[in-house]
mmCIF file of all heavy atoms in Angstrom:
data_model
loop_
_atom_site.group_PDB
_atom_site.id
_atom_site.type_symbol
_atom_site.label_atom_id
_atom_site.label_comp_id
_atom_site.label_asym_id
_atom_site.label_seq_id
_atom_site.Cartn_x
_atom_site.Cartn_y
_atom_site.Cartn_z
ATOM 1 N N PRO A 188 27.687 28.097 32.556
ATOM 2 C CA PRO A 188 27.169 28.449 33.887
ATOM 3 C C PRO A 188 27.230 29.939 34.190
ATOM 4 O O PRO A 188 26.371 30.460 34.904
ATOM 5 C CB PRO A 188 28.059 27.635 34.832
ATOM 6 C CG PRO A 188 29.267 27.273 34.033
ATOM 7 C CD PRO A 188 28.798 27.136 32.618
ATOM 8 N N GLY A 189 28.227 30.634 33.649
ATOM 9 C CA GLY A 189 28.315 32.068 33.900
ATOM 10 C C GLY A 189 27.182 32.831 33.251
ATOM 11 O O GLY A 189 26.555 33.701 33.874
ATOM 12 N N VAL A 190 26.888 32.530 31.983
ATOM 13 C CA VAL A 190 25.779 33.179 31.285
ATOM 14 C C VAL A 190 24.455 32.806 31.941
ATOM 15 O O VAL A 190 23.584 33.655 32.135
ATOM 16 C CB VAL A 190 25.775 32.788 29.797
ATOM 17 C CG1 VAL A 190 24.537 33.341 29.089
ATOM 18 C CG2 VAL A 190 27.035 33.291 29.101
ATOM 19 N N ALA A 191 24.300 31.541 32.306
ATOM 20 C CA ALA A 191 23.067 31.095 32.965
ATOM 21 C C ALA A 191 22.854 31.839 34.274
ATOM 22 O O ALA A 191 21.738 32.253 34.595
ATOM 23 C CB ALA A 191 23.124 29.592 33.213
ATOM 24 N N ALA A 192 23.938 32.019 35.049
ATOM 25 C CA ALA A 192 23.822 32.730 36.326
ATOM 26 C C ALA A 192 23.414 34.186 36.103
ATOM 27 O O ALA A 192 22.570 34.733 36.832
ATOM 28 C CB ALA A 192 25.148 32.658 37.081
ATOM 29 N N ALA A 193 24.002 34.823 35.086
ATOM 30 C CA ALA A 193 23.660 36.216 34.805
ATOM 31 C C ALA A 193 22.207 36.347 34.363
ATOM 32 O O ALA A 193 21.484 37.248 34.821
ATOM 33 C CB ALA A 193 24.600 36.770 33.729
ATOM 34 N N LEU A 194 21.752 35.452 33.490
ATOM 35 C CA LEU A 194 20.366 35.490 33.050
ATOM 36 C C LEU A 194 19.409 35.286 34.211
ATOM 37 O O LEU A 194 18.375 35.964 34.320
ATOM 38 C CB LEU A 194 20.133 34.414 31.988
ATOM 39 C CG LEU A 194 20.685 34.709 30.593
ATOM 40 C CD1 LEU A 194 20.663 33.457 29.735
ATOM 41 C CD2 LEU A 194 19.891 35.824 29.924
ATOM 42 N N ARG A 195 19.761 34.370 35.091
ATOM 43 C CA ARG A 195 18.898 34.103 36.238
ATOM 44 C C ARG A 195 18.752 35.357 37.106
ATOM 45 O O ARG A 195 17.649 35.712 37.536
ATOM 46 C CB ARG A 195 19.478 32.954 37.062
ATOM 47 C CG ARG A 195 18.550 32.470 38.169
ATOM 48 C CD ARG A 195 19.141 31.269 38.890
ATOM 49 N NE ARG A 195 19.437 30.181 37.962
ATOM 50 C CZ ARG A 195 20.656 29.788 37.619
ATOM 51 N NH1 ARG A 195 21.719 30.392 38.126
ATOM 52 N NH2 ARG A 195 20.829 28.786 36.778
ATOM 53 N N GLU A 196 19.847 36.046 37.327
ATOM 54 C CA GLU A 196 19.798 37.263 38.146
ATOM 55 C C GLU A 196 19.003 38.362 37.450
ATOM 56 O O GLU A 196 18.227 39.078 38.096
ATOM 57 C CB GLU A 196 21.222 37.736 38.442
ATOM 58 C CG GLU A 196 21.975 36.853 39.421
ATOM 59 C CD GLU A 196 21.344 36.880 40.805
ATOM 60 O OE1 GLU A 196 21.368 37.943 41.443
ATOM 61 O OE2 GLU A 196 20.811 35.829 41.232
ATOM 62 N N ILE A 197 19.191 38.521 36.144
ATOM 63 C CA ILE A 197 18.434 39.537 35.402
ATOM 64 C C ILE A 197 16.939 39.260 35.492
ATOM 65 O O ILE A 197 16.132 40.158 35.762
ATOM 66 C CB ILE A 197 18.871 39.562 33.923
ATOM 67 C CG1 ILE A 197 20.311 40.071 33.790
ATOM 68 C CG2 ILE A 197 17.926 40.442 33.092
ATOM 69 C CD1 ILE A 197 20.901 39.885 32.403
ATOM 70 N N HIS A 198 16.565 38.003 35.289
ATOM 71 C CA HIS A 198 15.150 37.648 35.283
ATOM 72 C C HIS A 198 14.518 37.767 36.667
ATOM 73 O O HIS A 198 13.374 38.206 36.793
ATOM 74 C CB HIS A 198 14.980 36.220 34.759
ATOM 75 C CG HIS A 198 15.297 36.095 33.303
ATOM 76 N ND1 HIS A 198 15.522 34.883 32.701
ATOM 77 C CD2 HIS A 198 15.432 37.019 32.333
ATOM 78 C CE1 HIS A 198 15.782 35.074 31.415
ATOM 79 N NE2 HIS A 198 15.736 36.358 31.168
ATOM 80 N N GLU A 199 15.261 37.389 37.684
ATOM 81 C CA GLU A 199 14.705 37.413 39.034
ATOM 82 C C GLU A 199 14.768 38.790 39.678
ATOM 83 O O GLU A 199 13.981 39.098 40.568
ATOM 84 C CB GLU A 199 15.447 36.404 39.917
ATOM 85 C CG GLU A 199 15.206 34.951 39.501
ATOM 86 C CD GLU A 199 15.973 33.968 40.370
ATOM 87 O OE1 GLU A 199 16.737 34.426 41.257
ATOM 88 O OE2 GLU A 199 15.815 32.744 40.155
ATOM 89 N N LYS A 200 15.679 39.649 39.213
ATOM 90 C CA LYS A 200 15.872 40.958 39.839
ATOM 91 C C LYS A 200 15.936 42.067 38.793
ATOM 92 O O LYS A 200 16.952 42.755 38.665
ATOM 93 C CB LYS A 200 17.152 40.952 40.674
ATOM 94 C CG LYS A 200 17.184 39.887 41.761
ATOM 95 C CD LYS A 200 18.547 39.842 42.444
ATOM 96 C CE LYS A 200 18.603 38.724 43.468
ATOM 97 N NZ LYS A 200 19.965 38.622 44.080
ATOM 98 N N PRO A 201 14.875 42.270 38.027
ATOM 99 C CA PRO A 201 14.916 43.340 37.019
ATOM 100 C C PRO A 201 15.045 44.727 37.646
ATOM 101 O O PRO A 201 15.451 45.675 36.976
ATOM 102 C CB PRO A 201 13.590 43.180 36.269
ATOM 103 C CG PRO A 201 12.692 42.473 37.241
ATOM 104 C CD PRO A 201 13.588 41.566 38.033
ATOM 105 N N HIS A 202 14.708 44.832 38.933
ATOM 106 C CA HIS A 202 14.782 46.116 39.619
ATOM 107 C C HIS A 202 16.212 46.512 39.989
ATOM 108 O O HIS A 202 16.483 47.673 40.302
ATOM 109 C CB HIS A 202 13.960 46.052 40.908
ATOM 110 C CG HIS A 202 14.425 44.979 41.842
ATOM 111 N ND1 HIS A 202 14.020 43.663 41.691
ATOM 112 C CD2 HIS A 202 15.270 45.007 42.916
ATOM 113 C CE1 HIS A 202 14.583 42.933 42.642
ATOM 114 N NE2 HIS A 202 15.357 43.713 43.385
ATOM 115 N N HIS A 203 17.145 45.564 39.961
ATOM 116 C CA HIS A 203 18.518 45.840 40.385
ATOM 117 C C HIS A 203 19.205 46.789 39.399
ATOM 118 O O HIS A 203 18.932 46.779 38.211
ATOM 119 C CB HIS A 203 19.294 44.527 40.477
ATOM 120 C CG HIS A 203 20.647 44.669 41.098
ATOM 121 N ND1 HIS A 203 20.839 44.765 42.457
ATOM 122 C CD2 HIS A 203 21.883 44.738 40.541
ATOM 123 C CE1 HIS A 203 22.119 44.873 42.712
ATOM 124 N NE2 HIS A 203 22.790 44.874 41.567
ATOM 125 N N ARG A 204 20.123 47.602 39.890
ATOM 126 C CA ARG A 204 20.875 48.538 39.035
ATOM 127 C C ARG A 204 22.012 47.782 38.355
ATOM 128 O O ARG A 204 23.172 47.876 38.751
ATOM 129 C CB ARG A 204 21.412 49.705 39.857
ATOM 130 C CG ARG A 204 20.333 50.633 40.374
ATOM 131 C CD ARG A 204 20.925 51.803 41.163
ATOM 132 N NE ARG A 204 19.916 52.730 41.600
ATOM 133 C CZ ARG A 204 19.456 53.750 40.881
ATOM 134 N NH1 ARG A 204 19.946 53.964 39.664
ATOM 135 N NH2 ARG A 204 18.524 54.549 41.341
ATOM 136 N N TRP A 205 21.687 47.039 37.322
ATOM 137 C CA TRP A 205 22.675 46.193 36.664
ATOM 138 C C TRP A 205 23.626 47.007 35.799
ATOM 139 O O TRP A 205 23.236 47.991 35.174
ATOM 140 C CB TRP A 205 21.985 45.145 35.791
ATOM 141 C CG TRP A 205 21.239 44.110 36.561
ATOM 142 C CD1 TRP A 205 19.899 43.882 36.543
ATOM 143 C CD2 TRP A 205 21.797 43.166 37.477
ATOM 144 N NE1 TRP A 205 19.575 42.852 37.387
ATOM 145 C CE2 TRP A 205 20.728 42.390 37.968
ATOM 146 C CE3 TRP A 205 23.087 42.901 37.922
ATOM 147 C CZ2 TRP A 205 20.904 41.373 38.899
ATOM 148 C CZ3 TRP A 205 23.284 41.889 38.835
ATOM 149 C CH2 TRP A 205 22.203 41.139 39.315
#
Side-chain angles (χ1 to χ4, degrees):
V190 174
L194 285 167
R195 188 176 303 110
E196 289 295 294
I197 292 169
H198 291 164
E199 293 179 357
K200 302 174 183 177
H202 59 277
H203 189 79
R204 292 181 177 273
W205 291 116

